[in-house]
Amino acid sequence: MSKFASALVEWQKQHGRRGLPWQGTRDPYRIWLSEVMLQQTQVAAVIPYYERFLRRFPSIEALASASEDEVLQLWSGLGYYARGRNLHAAAKAVVARGSFPGTAAEIEELPGIGRSTAAAIAAFAFGERAAILDGNVKRVLARCFGIEGWPGEKAVEEALWGRANRLLPQNEIEAYTQALMDLGASVCTRTPKCSACPVSRNCSARRQGRTAEIPAPRPRRALPQKCVTWLLLLNRGQVLLEKRPAPGIWGGLWSFPEAPVNDVGDYCAAKLGCEILTKKKLAGLEHGFTHFRLQIRPLLCHVAKTPQLESPGRLWIGIGQARDAAVPAPVRKLLCRDFLHLLATR
Ligand code: SF4
């Protein structure tokens, strides 16, 4: 075992994170679920979602036979909803093939599972020697081995994968994999705690005093902005929600109808089957995606329903129920933030 790997394994035994709900199991379903939920999400935020999800879907079969609405409802609030949709699709694929795939290469073929996640599942569930390389691990390896450049560049990423593969120990792969994750999450963070690091002696960035420069940040570019008007249509304590098309942002989730700014009244009458009685602009909010920023302008309208235009993608629902439905975070925020206001102004 390399010095790097043995130092990490020893460190993990003493200082690694323990007692997390997804540790101490070889069940690939539970490991997979945790790995997907932990992408771009902190451990503390994941734990209640993970436990609730498993109570409702204790097996892959239970998940595969659920409706997408139910899966997204339980995912609601965790963000990055494509993860929930892919998890559901992958559960169906696993049930169709008859068993959970047994190697990292096969796991990677399931919907929504990337190379690093597949490797983590294979390492923890089957003890396979497979290299992980999530964002945290990229930071550790780039600093430790002085790999310059932005990790999103192809050449830098290839160098990191090469290093990650060469470092794999022959045994104790589970402890090593967990150690890398723990080190990246708790010690080699944006502001690293090098005095607590088991590989500090040989770390290139630390020795050169360049931990702030490595890895190089993503090249800056201004994100485009998009503006939408959301209609918070209120009738007898109910709001109108629309199911968003998939693929697309928040695909499969329930959201407020979007309207053209200039002819809201005509739009409501023609498309949504309701007549606006009063309308009021509410404070706007902004939501960031990786590739653009969304400016949301909410318009609260009290409406009378004209003979209803029934549509399977639309739903009048009580405000309290809407908050518990599979809705994106800004919709929930509006329902919570303006909930009392909505009722007070009926
Ligand atoms: S010594 Fe510091 S910069 Fe280097 S790997 Fe450890 S925590 Fe990261």
Side-chain angles (χ1 to χ4, degrees):
M1 195 182 294
S2 68
K3 273 188 192 161
F4 178 88
S6 61
L8 253 66
V9 168
E10 280 313 303
W11 172 84
Q12 208 279 332
K13 287 175 185 164
Q14 292 203 0
H15 303 286
R17 293 177 292 187
R18 298 188 186 282
L20 297 174
W22 44 85
Q23 290 179 324
T25 178
R26 288 275 188 185
D27 179 347
Y29 170 53
R30 286 167 179 258
I31 294 165
W32 165 39
L33 179 63
S34 70
E35 290 299 326
V36 172
M37 285 189 166
L38 286 165
Q39 290 163 3
Q40 278 109 11
T41 315
Q42 301 282 327
V43 165
V46 163
I47 289 174
Y49 281 91
Y50 178 80
E51 291 179 335
R52 205 175 323 140
F53 207 89
L54 277 180
R55 272 198 300 279
R56 173 60 190 88
F57 306 122
S59 64
I60 294 182
E61 290 75 15
L63 174 57
S65 60
S67 70
E68 186 179 272
D69 246 5
E70 201 178 356
V71 175
L72 292 179
Q73 184 180 356
L74 280 177
W75 203 271
S76 182
L78 256 188
Y80 301 96
Y81 292 93
R83 294 182 299 174
R85 282 197 302 277
N86 281 330
L87 194 79
H88 189 216
K92 289 182 175 178
V94 169
V95 168
R97 81 191 287 282
S99 64
F100 199 92
T103 66
E106 290 172 323
I107 295 169
E108 200 182 336
E109 288 174 15
L110 293 174
I113 301 187
R115 181 174 171 184
S116 180
T117 302
I121 298 167
F124 290 132
F126 311 122
E128 181 177 332
R129 283 182 71 240
I132 61 164
L133 193 67
D134 62 16
N136 287 347
V137 176
K138 285 177 184 174
R139 189 169 56 245
V140 172
L141 299 187
R143 284 174 172 167
C144 209
F145 297 97
I147 299 171
E148 307 265 355
W150 174 51
E153 284 167 28
K154 194 161 180 271
V156 180
E157 176 145 341
E158 279 173 5
L160 288 166
W161 274 114
R163 180 63 72 167
N165 278 318
R166 289 196 296 281
L167 287 168
L168 283 177
Q170 289 297 332
N171 38 43
E172 297 203 75
I173 188 69
E174 299 90 336
Y176 172 75
T177 303
Q178 188 67 57
L180 261 181
M181 290 178 170
D182 292 354
L183 191 75
S186 60
V187 177
C188 193
T189 53
R190 187 185 298 234
T191 312
K193 306 167 189 75
C194 299
S195 58
C197 177
V199 291
S200 64
R201 187 184 294 192
N202 296 315
C203 173
S204 168
R206 187 200 61 77
R207 279 192 279 122
Q208 296 177 52
R210 296 184 60 215
T211 57
E213 295 162 39
I214 302 177
R218 172 194 288 268
R220 274 185 175 275
R221 66 186 165 97
L223 286 181
Q225 298 221 346
K226 289 186 186 173
C227 277
V228 291
T229 297
W230 276 2
L231 299 175
L232 280 65
L233 303 182
L234 187 66
N235 177 273
R236 296 170 189 269
Q238 292 190 316
V239 288
L240 182 64
L241 296 182
E242 279 187 339
K243 192 165 203 173
R244 296 188 62 95
I249 61 166
W250 297 319
L253 297 188
W254 293 89
S255 182
F256 296 116
E258 284 180 22
V261 186
N262 296 330
D263 53 356
V264 170
D266 290 349
Y267 181 81
C268 283
K271 302 285 185 189
L272 306 175
C274 47
E275 178 194 349
I276 295 180
L277 304 176
T278 65
K279 61 182 176 183
K280 180 179 186 329
K281 285 182 186 167
L282 302 178
L285 63 165
E286 189 176 285
H287 190 82
F289 294 91
T290 47
H291 50 302
F292 70 96
R293 297 199 69 75
L294 188 66
Q295 302 279 352
I296 299 164
R297 296 176 180 148
L299 188 64
L300 170 64
C301 304
H302 288 84
V303 300
K305 284 196 247 178
T306 52
Q308 187 55 41
L309 296 176
E310 284 298 336
S311 161
R314 296 207 179 102
L315 183 68
W316 283 95
I317 183 172
I319 294 170
Q321 267 180 296
R323 286 159 60 185
D324 293 333
V327 296
V331 170
R332 178 166 295 107
K333 203 169 180 176
L334 280 169
L335 287 165
C336 293
R337 188 184 77 179
D338 294 311
F339 178 52
L340 292 175
H341 180 70
L342 290 172
L343 291 183
T345 53
R346 278 176 69 185

